[in-house]
Amino acid sequence: MKRHRFEPARLIAGLTALAIGSGYGLDALGVWQAPGLWLFLALPAGLALSGITAAVRSTTRRDTPPTDPPPLPHS
């Protein structure tokens, strides 16, 4: 399996989407009374945090060669 580089900005964006979706889902089920304005404002806040993280990561990232082992020869 090909290994992928860790990208914290995608992690933050995904966790934001998961939290907002869970909040709206719990509100629809009647389990939790979600404050609509907070959930509505969480999306731009999460995307802004993700963008800031991506910008910081791109300026501090060191370009290192991949550490994948060489492929095994067929016998």
Side-chain angles (χ1 to χ4, degrees):
M1 175 185 275
K2 184 179 176 183
R3 298 197 55 134
H4 297 279
R5 188 182 324 195
F6 175 66
E7 297 184 22
R10 286 188 179 192
L11 176 66
I12 291 172
L15 290 176
T16 300
L18 183 66
I20 292 170
S22 298
Y24 278 118
L26 290 173
D27 189 31
L29 291 172
V31 176
W32 179 56
Q33 183 62 35
L37 182 62
W38 284 101
L39 285 177
F40 181 71
L41 293 177
L43 179 63
L47 291 177
L49 181 62
S50 178
I52 292 168
T53 304
V56 169
R57 172 91 169 139
S58 68
T59 59
T60 60
R61 180 176 39 196
R62 295 182 200 102
D63 289 324
T64 57
T67 58
D68 293 336
L72 298 174
H74 294 286
S75 48

